[in-house]
Amino acid sequence: MRIAFVGAGNMASSLIAGMVAMGIDGGRISASARRPEQRELLKSCYGVDVHSSAGECAAGADVVILSVKPQVAQVTCREIAPHLSDDALILSIMAGIPVLNLLAWLNSSRTSARAIVRCMPNTPASVGFGMTALYASAAVSPSQKECAYSLMSSVGRAIWVGDECQFDAVTALSGSGPAYAYLLMEAMVEAGKELGLPSQVAETLTRQTILGAAQLASDQGRALQELRRQVTSPHGTTEAAVNLLEAQGFKSLVGRAVRGAARRSAELPLEL
Ligand SMILES: NC(=O)C1=CN([C@@H]2O[C@H](COP(=O)(O)OP(=O)(O)OC[C@H]3O[C@@H](n4cnc5c(N)ncnc54)[C@H](OP(=O)(O)O)[C@@H]3O)[C@@H](O)[C@H]2O)C=CC1
Ligand SMILES: O=C(O)[C@@H]1CCC=N1
């Protein structure tokens, strides 16, 4: 199976890194990027076949992963359409771009609809801890669904969502989510330093704490509130911090931020 990444920046590189680490041969992957230094990096790190032309990259591939910015989705789809194999499976990781648009741009002169799966991965895929949501369009066969699922499962967890409308929420939660965690970690490191800890110590304490908390939380049998309660001794230190966070509207602030991301995802196709 040949896999082509059309656009190979941050997210595509994370997927390539994860796939190669999980045993997919870099020689079966092609990738297009405009910057020569990015192409050189992908070639030297992962042994992938690199191209400056999106059309050449996609030509003859069994799976084509659309991973350019949403703003250049249309021009890129129109560019690759004449080069695609008849039975190519298209995975789009682009935020906000609905299947209907992709079908129109990719269909070229075809009479039957292309098989398109929308995917929303995230960057921890690079270390095998990605989270990808998938949505299959009507033309996707059961074996193509299996192919999309196993590819994305190779770099972490994957789940199907039954309704494409949920993709804005998915993008806001798990697509953008790693950035929220890093922002929290940055704030914790800064607070640790302000309390007098050496920078290295504050970084190590924060990174390992979030890793440990995430590892515990990965067991869905354990309610998040219960995990929090186990840390929070009555009248203790955690309670002092959590009370302050709640009084200052932490949850509602996070809620507003996530809704803002979902709104932005919904706006993206209106700007094409
Ligand atoms: N970053 C993330 O965490 C996630 C991103 N996504 C989605 O993935 C997609 C890519 O995002 P991200 O990787 O962050 O973006 P990047 O800017 O890092 O990567 C975009 C890639 O597309 C290439 N490209 C840009 N413009 C063109 C063009 N006109 N023609 C051909 N290639 C072009 C770039 O080449 P060059 O850099 O050489 O100019 C680069 O390889 C987006 O649609 C985003 O919504 C989805 C989930 C998570
Ligand atoms: O910020 C973005 O638009 C992309 C989509 C999800 C994560 N990064």
Side-chain angles (χ1 to χ4, degrees), residues 69-70 93 95 120-121 171 175-176 268:
K69 292 283 192 200
I93 69 165
M120 183 45 57
T171 302
S176 299
L268 284 168

Side-chain angles (χ1 to χ4, degrees), residues 143-266:
S143 66
Q144 287 174 319
K145 274 185 86 171
E146 183 49 41
C147 172
Y149 185 82
S150 77
L151 204 51
M152 289 303 171
S153 305
S154 74
V155 292
R157 289 193 66 172
I159 53 167
W160 289 102
V161 296
D163 186 345
E164 191 180 8
C165 294
Q166 293 171 350
F167 249 67
D168 293 331
V170 162
T171 302
L173 212 58
S174 59
S176 299
Y180 315 151
Y182 302 135
L183 187 61
L184 172 66
M185 291 164 81
E186 288 173 45
M188 287 172 66
V189 170
E190 278 164 31
K193 288 196 295 191
E194 276 169 30
L195 285 168
L197 293 174
S199 169
Q200 267 308 91
V201 173
E203 285 260 345
T204 304
L205 294 177
T206 299
R207 288 172 189 251
Q208 183 63 18
T209 298
I210 298 298
L211 177 65
Q215 186 68 38
L216 265 181
S218 68
D219 173 0
Q220 287 203 8
R222 312 175 84 146
L224 295 172
Q225 287 89 341
E226 174 58 14
L227 290 174
R228 174 153 65 89
R229 198 199 54 74
Q230 289 167 359
V231 191
T232 314
S233 310
H235 313 297
T237 61
T238 316
E239 190 178 270
V242 168
N243 282 351
L244 194 140
L245 285 170
E246 300 222 285
Q248 296 290 319
F250 181 69
K251 275 190 183 166
S252 101
L253 182 62
V254 172
R256 272 161 48 210
V258 173
R259 285 193 293 279
R263 255 196 320 278
R264 181 69 194 127
S265 173

